[in-house]
Amino acid sequence: MTQSLLHQILDYANRADPYPLYEELRRTPVHHEGGDGPYVISTYYEIRSLLHDPRISSDARNLASQAGDPLPEAPQGEGALPPGFLKLDPPEHDRLRRMTNRPFGPPHSPRRVDGMRPELHDIVTGLIDGIGDPGRIDLVEQFSYPFPVTVICRLLGVPREDEARFHVWADTLAASLDPDPDADSAERGKGAHDARMQLGMYLAGLIEERRKNPGDDMLSQLATAEGEDGPMTTMELLSTAALLLIAGHETTVNLITNGMLTLLRHPDVLERLRTEPRLAAPLVEELLRFEPPVQLVPQRTTLADIEVRGVTIPKGAALWLVLASGNRDPKRFTDPDRFDPDRPDIQHLGLGSGIHSCFGAPLARLETQLALSELARRLENPRLLQDPPPYRQNAVLRGPRELQIACDGIRP
Amino acid sequence: MRGDGALERLGREGRIVVVGASLAGLRAAEALRDEGFAGSLTVIGDEPHEPYDRPPLSKQVLLGRASAGRTALPRLRAVDATWRLGVAASGLDMAAGLVRLADGDEVPYDRLLIATGVRARPWPQEAEAELDGVFVLRTSDDSAALARRLDAGPERVLVIGAGFTGSEIASACRERGLPVTVAERGAAPLVGALGGVVGAVAADMQREGGVDLRCGVMVTALEGDASGRVRAARLSDGSTVETDVVVVSLGATRNTEWLAGSGLGAGPRGIACDAGCRAFDIRGIVTDDIYAAGDVARCPHPLFGYQFLALEHWGNAVAQARIAAHNMLSESAERVPHMEVPSFWSAQFGVNIKSVGVPSMATEILITQGSLESRRFVGVYGYQGRVIGAVSFDHGRWLPFYQELIETTAPFPPPFATVDRRPGGQRPVDADFPDPSVPTHGPTVTLSGYSPADRRTTFTPAH
Ligand SMILES: Cc1cc2nc3c(=O)[nH]c(=O)nc-3n(C[C@H](O)[C@H](O)[C@H](O)COP(=O)(O)OP(=O)(O)OC[C@H]3O[C@@H](n4cnc5c(N)ncnc54)[C@H](O)[C@@H]3O)c2cc1C
């Protein structure tokens, strides 16, 4: 039996290069394989307008049929964390995101992210200094994972030593985002639920401490904040903290690894970056278009019957927005499969758009710009030992599980 | 005409003159070079400054976060042009194809772009307007002078007129801790642009922000002391406001006087153009060599019943500049119309206000998301059963969706559910715009097409 297009996209066998499948998908901009299956949107303009469409909900409780939801929702009940603001609609979403933004960005904390520059630089330097044998580097393990984890821990005020504990929970939760239609949904739901519970309990302990001894980290600020929106409830605080902790590194790891992989496949650009530090910013934008770490947004539903390109999507349907496909839509970008950091006009969908656009975008951008520039500057004659590298299972948060590279030495 | 090489010649060695060296003028000059125009380009501006940006003048500059001399517009590209700054254009000879300058010079053109914008309407009593402490706010010099006076810590500031600019000034003063009185003839701030329903929210914002807001009153006189400094204002309700700084914010007047007698279709409502920014002459015939862009232009808009719209919107100036530049270098089949949906933003009392479409054309409003009470909402404006505009308070990320509704002439009221639809937003209500024959202070969109008050000409067929 030939696999449906959706199955093929989710099939691990196609993880290393899903782009030909996306191209096929774009031939049917509203792709539906029947029944409770999702309506899959793959073209740039349609995705962008749906991201700004107030008839689209991020709250899974608005799905007509929970059975049709490929994402196992943690059972609600005793001790369950409420959904983070990523999975909420306004006004709750707006309130929580606004409150979270207070200690993070403008207008209240305009220099928070940029102020971390020297600190980020030190972390990057330390990691590169500690690489050891330049003949065999796993970039993921030695660099692209530890870097954002260290950063998010410092930002939130989570002890770096606890990484081993929350790593397991974070992995489970990230995996639960993967819409694998063949996996046992109840089983995975339970796993995700347990991981969330444990992460919640862990964070509850931390927050308790921060309340007593506030520092200048975000957890302390969130726990003690009293703005126009009042304080967050403990449960809101826990789910927000969990969201920040997980989203704060699961995506940046992939962005940095995808970035280095792309650069190693385009040595001319890598060489330019070495000598032209100003290339870093446009290069990261192009990277977000070309190999976005979040490939698709699988958790949206319709609050009304809506028409997209002549197709009526019924109220309560599951909606998938394939950002990575929209980013390579030839109707929007000329020569979309070419990696070109000199593109003059690049309004990509890599960080989403609309009210749910990536909360951590300024930090992710800065981290990746610094990381790639420093790697380009310091690694001598770097090359890939395996291409393509092995990928992680996840089709949503797509990225290499490891990236084996070698270089001739590490420049000071 | 076609194929005779005239256009190529124009592009190679023609003379293009731009009058007005601000936003529209600069962007047009850049676009002309972008389009490959290689001839001589002259930009004439009566202000001595390089082109600068106005929106910060009533926001960051008054807050002391930017200095008035530092809002220069970024150059999108290098432009090879002769800049004649500090000298006004004083006349136009259409037959001879030349612009006269106030210093006696004459500049010939093959194509002319007029981007002279508007100026602040001054306080009508000249002697009172001359009093020390009475300001308007349109130019960078105005803003520098006002900011300096605010730095000195006046006892009280009186803002006359609560349109966008007046409201922003009041907001900046409050943020600096200065006592402010706002006097507005209409029933609420912003009522001319957004109607009474939204105006009521703006009024709450001002009062809560500590503004002494007086609506439904007019300032009838300004009083000075013996040394010629303003010291009080008298209001139509009989009250008096003691004040040492008065900012007159009564909207704007189009800069078209210099065109009087030229034969161009220019008057107090602006310069009438077709949808491609080509100016009409007074006989209603479109010129082929004179274009207008920005605040001074009024163009028919297909989405709004081909009403002539004059927009005091930043984005409109940029878009029209590009279109005028393109069209003046193009064959008729390659010309493009100006069809952008109008959009506007303002920041005041900590709230980000954005609008798309033409709210002031509407009769009804429906709050589709959020709530008026929370001051975070989207309101959709309806006119004859279709969506004609939308406004957002701290909800700007949704506006692209509403813009699409306007562009596709979607039905009003929109029949669907949305995220964050509250009980108050289930039914459309009267948007409560003031009677259009009563001028409000500082509307930023003027429907300048047909007006019943306008029947001044008599039609006398020539035979
Ligand atoms: C304080 C303030 C705040 C604003 N805030 C916003 C905002 O938040 N959002 C928004 O969308 N818009 C805002 N605007 C409006 C926006 O700035 C205008 O729409 C824009 O400046 C229009 O550009 P323009 O080039 O058409 O006209 P202008 O900027 O008015 O420029 C016209 C230029 O021509 C010159 N000129 C006039 N007559 C002659 C002559 N005879 N010869 C030579 N030169 C001449 C003028 O002196 C002026 O320099 C604001 C405007 C002001 C004043």
Side-chain angles (χ1 to χ4, degrees):
Chain A
M1 198 189 86
T2 53
Q3 260 188 325
S4 80
L5 191 49
L6 213 55
H7 268 83
Q8 289 183 61
I9 289 171
L10 299 177
D11 187 345
Y12 182 72
N14 294 308
R15 194 70 73 246
D17 186 12
Y19 297 102
L21 291 168
Y22 294 156
E23 190 180 333
E24 209 178 316
L25 192 60
R26 282 193 299 270
R27 279 187 222 135
T28 324
V30 183
H31 177 94
H32 181 53
E33 294 179 359
D36 281 341
Y39 287 74
V40 183
I41 316 290
S42 54
T43 46
Y44 180 89
Y45 291 105
E46 283 66 33
I47 294 172
R48 202 191 49 181
S49 76
L50 288 172
L51 286 170
H52 291 272
D53 193 322
R55 298 168 299 179
I56 305 300
S57 166
S58 298
D59 191 331
R61 288 167 291 194
N62 288 314
L63 279 165
S65 145
Q66 293 283 338
D69 179 12
L71 301 180
E73 193 49 44
Q76 301 285 317
E78 194 76 353
L81 284 186
F85 60 75
L86 189 63
K87 291 184 168 197
L88 289 176
D89 289 337
E92 294 81 14
H93 162 275
D94 291 2
R95 181 176 143 266
L96 290 174
R97 180 165 167 143
R98 197 160 54 228
M99 292 172 74
T100 311
N101 198 52
R102 243 163 220 277
F104 183 67
H108 299 281
S109 317
R111 266 171 282 278
R112 177 117 208 186
V113 170
D114 210 54
M116 289 184 80
R117 197 181 274 273
E119 206 177 334
L120 299 188
H121 199 275
D122 285 350
I123 302 171
V124 167
T125 304
L127 288 170
I128 298 180
D129 286 346
I131 276 181
D133 176 9
R136 184 141 206 107
I137 307 169
D138 175 3
L139 194 80
V140 175
E141 190 186 315
Q142 293 176 261
F143 187 83
S144 19
Y145 179 76
F147 175 38
V149 170
T150 308
V151 174
I152 195 70
C153 283
R154 290 223 189 138
L155 186 68
L156 287 179
V158 169
R160 180 70 174 80
E161 312 80 76
D162 293 347
E163 187 264 328
R165 295 170 68 194
F166 64 74
H167 188 176
V168 187
W169 304 321
D171 260 6
T172 314
L173 287 171
S176 78
L177 271 179
D178 192 26
D180 179 355
D182 299 324
D184 179 345
S185 153
E187 177 82 359
R188 289 199 323 150
K190 168 126 187 19
H193 173 70
D194 290 349
R196 241 172 116 67
M197 282 272 290
Q198 284 167 10
L199 180 58
M201 269 147 59
Y202 166 72
L203 289 170
L206 266 184
I207 287 164
E208 218 23 69
E209 256 168 59
R210 291 292 178 284
R211 281 215 167 101
K212 281 185 217 130
N213 294 308
D216 61 0
D217 53 85
M218 269 183 76
L219 277 190
S220 301
Q221 285 161 321
L222 289 175
T224 55
E226 296 237 9
E228 45 164 341
D229 290 299
M232 279 191 197
T233 67
T234 302
M235 289 307 256
E236 285 169 343
L237 188 54
L238 290 182
S239 61
T240 303
L243 176 63
L244 294 179
L245 183 61
I246 294 172
H249 71 277
E250 285 293 341
T251 47
T252 319
V253 179
N254 291 339
L255 185 57
I256 293 173
T257 317
N258 290 340
M260 203 52 196
L261 176 60
T262 305
L263 287 174
L264 290 167
R265 285 171 176 168
H266 297 83
D268 50 321
V269 182
L270 182 63
E271 181 54 30
R272 261 182 74 193
L273 179 61
R274 205 166 76 75
T275 49
E276 253 179 75
R278 292 179 59 173
L279 187 63
L283 182 141
V284 169
E285 290 318 296
E286 172 69 346
L287 194 58
L288 283 161
R289 182 193 73 82
F290 189 73
E291 286 275 23
V294 179
Q295 295 267 301
L296 62 106
V297 175
Q299 32 142 340
R300 291 283 200 278
T301 181
T302 38
L303 293 177
D305 289 1
I306 67 167
E307 199 193 290
V308 178
R309 288 274 209 115
V311 178
T312 301
I313 303 175
K315 174 178 173 175
L319 204 61
W320 290 12
L321 308 175
V322 192
L323 307 177
S325 168
N327 276 349
R328 298 218 188 180
D329 186 344
K331 286 222 176 72
R332 174 60 182 82
F333 297 104
T334 34
D335 213 352
D337 291 322
R338 205 165 82 87
F339 178 70
D340 175 10
D342 299 316
R343 275 178 200 279
D345 154 41
I346 176 170
Q347 294 278 322
H348 58 74
L349 300 169
L351 298 168
S353 188
I355 62 162
H356 291 282
S357 71
C358 175
F359 178 85
L363 182 60
R365 284 189 161 110
L366 184 61
E367 285 178 320
T368 312
Q369 290 165 10
L370 273 173
L372 295 180
S373 315
E374 279 303 287
L375 288 172
R377 192 177 70 77
R378 297 197 55 196
L379 302 189
E380 220 171 292
N381 186 26
R383 54 208 175 262
L384 280 171
L385 294 179
Q386 192 186 11
D387 190 10
Y391 274 77
R392 298 159 81 183
Q393 172 59 39
N394 214 310
V396 170
L397 302 174
R398 172 177 164 270
R401 180 162 18 116
E402 52 184 64
L403 190 70
Q404 300 293 343
I405 63 172
C407 56
D408 294 345
I410 312 277
R411 293 191 192 91
Chain B
M1 179 72 194
R2 200 163 320 175
D4 66 357
L7 259 187
E8 287 77 55
R9 226 171 16 256
L10 172 73
R12 221 172 37 243
E13 57 201 39
R15 301 157 303 175
I16 298 186
V17 172
V18 176
V19 183
S22 186
L23 181 59
L26 172 65
R27 292 292 176 251
E30 289 167 341
L32 285 166
R33 292 302 189 205
D34 268 344
E35 300 251 350
F37 174 64
S40 91
L41 180 58
T42 306
V43 187
I44 299 160
D46 60 0
E47 293 188 75
H49 311 289
E50 298 272 301
Y52 61 86
D53 209 15
R54 293 177 205 273
L57 300 182
S58 52
K59 306 174 183 82
Q60 291 89 331
V61 172
L62 295 190
L63 286 170
R65 297 211 189 107
S67 86
R70 296 238 153 173
T71 71
L73 281 163
R75 303 291 179 109
L76 303 181
R77 55 163 293 147
V79 176
D80 173 22
T82 306
W83 293 85
R84 306 213 38 179
L85 299 178
V87 56
S90 55
L92 167 67
D93 185 336
M94 286 171 66
L98 53 85
V99 172
R100 281 192 213 95
L101 302 191
D103 64 5
D105 245 1
E106 293 178 342
V107 191
Y109 65 85
D110 298 306
R111 294 282 186 280
L112 170 66
L113 175 70
I114 303 174
T116 46
V118 301
R119 64 180 181 279
R121 191 172 288 143
W123 183 244
Q125 263 69 52
E126 232 171 279
E128 296 173 13
E130 296 288 296
L131 289 170
D132 181 32
V134 178
F135 296 85
V136 292
L137 180 51
R138 178 76 200 173
T139 67
S140 127
D141 293 347
D142 294 341
S143 178
L146 177 57
R148 224 175 300 124
R149 191 59 67 93
L150 297 183
D151 281 342
E155 298 288 324
R156 174 168 294 276
V157 178
L158 170 66
V159 180
I160 309 178
F164 280 108
T165 307
S167 299
E168 287 177 5
I169 295 166
S171 168
C173 289
R174 283 309 302 146
E175 214 171 304
R176 297 175 69 135
L178 299 171
V180 184
T181 298
V182 171
E184 161 63 46
R185 159 152 59 179
L190 312 184
V191 68
L194 299 174
V197 173
V198 174
V201 179
D204 282 348
M205 271 159 45
Q206 297 214 357
R207 294 214 163 95
E208 209 168 280
V211 173
D212 166 30
L213 175 65
R214 323 252 186 117
C215 292
V217 295
M218 289 196 296
V219 173
T220 51
L222 301 178
E223 286 171 5
D225 62 15
S227 60
R229 294 189 60 130
V230 70
R231 53 163 212 88
R234 261 186 276 134
L235 271 51
S236 57
D237 62 2
S239 62
T240 300
V241 176
E242 309 250 322
T243 177
D244 43 355
V245 174
V246 173
V247 191
V248 179
S249 200
L250 294 175
T253 309
R254 324 258 142 203
N255 289 318
T256 51
E257 292 78 0
W258 66 284
L259 296 164
S262 67
L264 200 67
R269 294 160 163 249
I271 301 172
C273 314
D274 70 5
C277 297
R278 290 185 301 179
F280 288 108
D281 72 12
I282 46 166
R283 301 163 301 167
I285 299 175
V286 76
T287 61
D288 212 23
D289 52 353
I290 305 180
Y291 290 72
D295 286 4
V296 77
R298 59 191 189 105
C299 299
H301 201 301
L303 274 178
F304 305 98
Y306 289 95
Q307 269 270 11
F308 277 74
L309 295 184
L311 301 165
E312 292 175 41
H313 294 175
W314 194 94
N316 177 67
V318 174
Q320 284 187 333
R322 240 185 258 126
I323 281 168
H326 171 84
N327 286 349
M328 63 170 72
L329 297 172
S330 301
E331 296 285 2
S332 56
E334 283 150 21
R335 292 192 184 129
V336 288
H338 173 62
M339 295 206 298
E340 290 219 345
V341 177
S343 67
F344 180 85
W345 84 94
S346 170
Q348 46 185 280
F349 301 97
V351 173
N352 222 312
I353 302 176
K354 287 187 177 178
S355 83
V356 287
V358 184
S360 56
M361 242 176 124
T363 49
E364 292 170 282
I365 186 171
L366 175 71
I367 305 304
T368 52
Q369 293 181 254
S371 68
L372 295 171
E373 300 76 57
S374 68
R375 286 176 212 153
R376 297 195 170 93
F377 62 89
V378 178
V380 176
Y381 290 89
Y383 174 66
Q384 296 186 343
R386 59 165 285 211
V387 174
I388 197 119
V391 65
S392 67
F393 275 43
D394 277 345
H395 253 48
R397 284 177 195 247
W398 295 110
L399 276 201
F401 171 77
Y402 294 94
Q403 176 166 336
E404 240 176 87
L405 293 186
I406 299 165
E407 280 165 350
T408 53
T409 62
F412 182 91
F416 44 75
T418 59
V419 293
D420 205 8
R421 182 83 165 254
R422 317 268 176 98
Q426 305 302 340
R427 238 165 289 106
V429 296
D430 185 343
D432 193 16
F433 280 98
D435 178 345
S437 65
V438 179
T440 49
H441 299 150
T444 54
V445 185
T446 313
L447 299 170
S448 57
Y450 171 76
S451 157
D454 227 29
R455 290 185 191 141
R456 265 175 270 132
T457 38
T458 347
F459 182 57
T460 35
H463 47 85

